[in-house]
Amino acid sequence: MLKTVIAGDLEIAYQERGSADAPAVILLHGFPYDIHGYDEVATQLAPSARVIVPYLRGFGPTRFLSAATMRSGQQAAIAHDLLALMDALSIPSAVLAGYDWGARAACIVAALWPQRVDGLVTGGGYQIQDIAAAAHPLVPDLEHRLWYQYYFHGERGRAGLAANRFELGRLLWQQWSPSWAFSDETYAQSAAAFDNPDFVDVVVHSYRHRFGLVPGDPRFDATEALLAQQPPILVPAVVLEGADDGVAPPLEQDRKRDLFGARYERRLIPGVGHNIPQEAPQAFAEAIASLLPAAV
């Protein structure tokens, strides 16, 4: 059953499992996914943790409180949403875990507010955007994987997302997780979250802001300035990478290893694509369990 809480700019919808007295774990989804990607992970963790799985801004039943609030999808906005959620639920610190957008929010809070983070599990490694460097082209093999981001830079892409969000999301699932034979029912369960009235605005802003094409919400300028410095993540961290990730294929070595602290582990998961928690829930849950305070 879903719960809701007023947190910052949002009324955040979330699932909660486990005991309120247990160490807290917050599981954060990405685009184009939703909280159902964590169903099995949350089940495995519930006996030993208080597990919170929120819908991000622009997804599912999560709603903005005011029509006047900018529908920003920038990295600082989703990080501040995470902090506001922790405050609203009286969670002083937690293990944060995510992939895609969710990994970005978790990485930012771990870097800038480490006192709130017991440990970090991040799909794909260091996920804080270097917006100043975004203008530099990648090699063609990596560039073509980002077609959807460039598509959203224009109004044709906005219209395409609005009209074909279900079909577009399914295509991305297929391209990003080529080894995963997900069912129609599994995809439809998550794709229902794309019917949020702010989904298109938040997604389009996210992929335009990350390339420096549009301004962000001025309230987050100070945070974005800190993120532009690519701050280190010094909390205990486990990096998970799917060997078959179709959008961000893993490199032989983590090129941003130097931005993590001493307690760092990288785990490559064979036969798994971009949606790590749903494709490899046991590996994801085990990474989190290794960082729970009782396990330290």
Side-chain angles (χ1 to χ4, degrees):
M1 185 177 72
L2 282 178
K3 300 180 178 181
T4 62
V5 65
I6 303 300
D9 294 331
L10 305 172
E11 181 178 24
I12 295 179
Y14 67 98
Q15 285 187 346
E16 181 171 0
R17 304 191 197 186
S19 170
D21 297 326
V25 173
I26 302 178
L27 305 175
L28 300 150
H29 70 82
F31 165 85
Y33 305 100
D34 86 324
I35 66 171
H36 292 293
Y38 286 112
D39 284 349
E40 182 58 33
V41 174
T43 297
Q44 293 187 33
L45 292 173
S48 58
R50 178 189 183 189
V51 184
I52 307 294
V53 194
Y55 281 97
L56 301 188
R57 58 170 54 202
F59 290 80
T62 290
R63 293 291 186 271
F64 285 86
L65 298 175
S66 171
T69 302
M70 182 178 181
R71 269 42 177 177
S72 172
Q74 71 192 95
Q75 58 180 349
I78 58 174
H80 280 276
D81 291 344
L82 173 54
L83 282 175
L85 175 65
M86 295 176 72
D87 289 342
L89 297 180
S90 300
I91 297 175
S93 66
V95 173
L96 305 181
Y99 64 107
D100 201 84
W101 289 21
R104 183 158 301 115
C107 282
I108 292 171
V109 174
L112 300 186
W113 296 278
Q115 72 278 10
R116 305 299 300 270
V117 182
D118 297 320
L120 170 72
V121 174
T122 169
Y126 186 91
Q127 291 289 343
I128 299 176
Q129 293 165 351
D130 186 352
I131 295 174
H136 302 304
L138 304 171
V139 297
D141 179 60
L142 297 179
E143 286 282 3
H144 91 277
R145 300 171 190 271
L146 304 182
W147 68 268
Y148 65 101
Q149 299 189 19
Y150 308 142
Y151 182 50
F152 296 152
H153 291 175
E155 289 307 297
R156 180 184 175 92
R158 177 192 289 274
L161 180 62
N164 304 306
R165 67 191 74 186
F166 186 92
E167 296 83 359
L168 192 151
R170 185 181 180 90
L171 176 61
L172 294 181
W173 276 39
Q174 292 168 336
Q175 291 182 339
W176 297 357
S177 298
S179 306
W180 183 32
F182 59 88
S183 68
D184 291 343
E185 292 75 18
T186 294
Y187 175 69
Q189 184 180 43
S190 288
F194 312 158
D195 287 333
N196 183 295
D198 300 304
F199 176 77
V200 172
D201 286 343
V202 170
V203 169
V204 168
H205 183 265
S206 172
Y207 289 107
R208 293 181 182 182
H209 183 270
R210 69 185 299 166
F211 282 86
L213 301 177
V214 294
D217 188 324
R219 295 176 301 154
F220 304 130
D221 284 352
T223 300
E224 290 289 354
L226 293 174
L227 300 178
Q229 300 173 28
Q230 296 288 272
I233 294 172
L234 302 180
V235 304
V238 177
V239 168
L240 299 178
E241 296 195 78
D244 295 346
D245 192 325
V247 65
L251 303 175
E252 186 173 338
Q253 294 182 333
D254 187 346
R255 65 185 179 88
K256 293 196 174 183
R257 165 66 183 91
D258 60 328
L259 293 176
F260 287 93
R263 187 171 175 197
Y264 163 94
E265 183 181 355
R266 185 187 190 214
R267 303 178 185 178
L268 185 66
I269 310 174
V272 168
H274 193 64
N275 186 2
I276 301 172
Q278 200 160 7
E279 297 177 63
Q282 183 171 346
F284 206 94
E286 288 174 351
I288 294 169
S290 73
L291 297 172
L292 287 173
V296 174

